[in-house]
Amino acid sequence: MAQDPPEQAQNTVSMLGQAYSLLGFQIVDGVVGAGYPQKPSHSAVFAQISPRGSRLSTLARGANMSPQAMGELVDELEELGYVERRPDPSDRRAKLIMLTPRGHDCIAAGIATIQGIETRIDQILGPEGHTELRRLLAELLATG
């Protein structure tokens, strides 16, 4: 009879990864619930795109992914009506990825969802605990 492997204590990296996944899915659920279908991977574009538009290579570099992979995400978001490609006025050979009005609305739904999550974290940890969590995360990120 096979035994289950012993439970391992969760380490910090595992817990941060789980929190990242959980929060990412909560954001997508909120945005989809507001009427803006998308996938968690689309956040790589929404998190990087400039309000004045961004080149594909800039989006890819900011998301730490290949231009080909970023191009696929942009294609999907273009099909959903969230972004469009326009000529870059500073370089006619280049294209800018621009948010459409629907894309701006989708980001607004994401911001509203994030604000709701922030409120929930405040309720769980208390305002002081939430502030301390943010301080500690900022300290970790500053060393990266």
Side-chain angles (χ1 to χ4, degrees):
M1 182 172 187
Q3 290 185 338
D4 290 334
E7 282 192 42
Q8 296 181 1
Q10 285 196 328
N11 60 55
T12 305
V13 173
S14 173
M15 292 172 71
L16 286 170
Q18 289 175 10
Y20 176 79
S21 293
L22 172 68
L23 294 172
F25 283 114
Q26 287 178 352
I27 293 166
V28 170
D29 286 347
V31 173
V32 170
Y36 301 95
Q38 62 177 263
K39 301 188 297 191
S41 59
H42 293 156
S43 66
V45 177
F46 287 125
Q48 304 297 323
I49 196 164
S50 166
R52 296 176 308 280
S54 300
R55 289 187 182 179
L56 185 74
S57 58
T58 303
L59 291 172
R61 194 169 37 257
N64 197 29
M65 58 193 313
S66 72
Q68 294 81 6
M70 179 58 73
E72 290 177 20
L73 293 177
V74 169
D75 289 345
E76 291 172 4
L77 290 172
E78 195 170 28
E79 287 178 26
L80 290 167
Y82 298 133
V83 300
E84 61 187 3
R85 289 175 168 91
R86 292 188 190 161
D88 185 339
S90 67
D91 181 351
R92 291 184 186 184
R93 298 168 295 166
K95 296 278 186 193
L96 286 178
I97 311 305
M98 305 284 298
L99 288 168
T100 64
R102 181 169 168 76
H104 283 286
D105 291 345
C106 180
I107 286 179
I111 290 168
T113 300
I114 290 168
Q115 289 169 339
I117 292 169
E118 291 276 339
T119 298
R120 182 76 177 122
I121 292 170
D122 227 32
Q123 293 168 344
I124 294 168
L125 301 179
E128 289 151 7
H130 190 180
T131 299
E132 180 66 2
L133 174 63
R134 291 176 58 88
R135 185 192 69 74
L136 292 169
L137 288 170
E139 189 174 324
L140 280 173
L141 293 170
T143 64

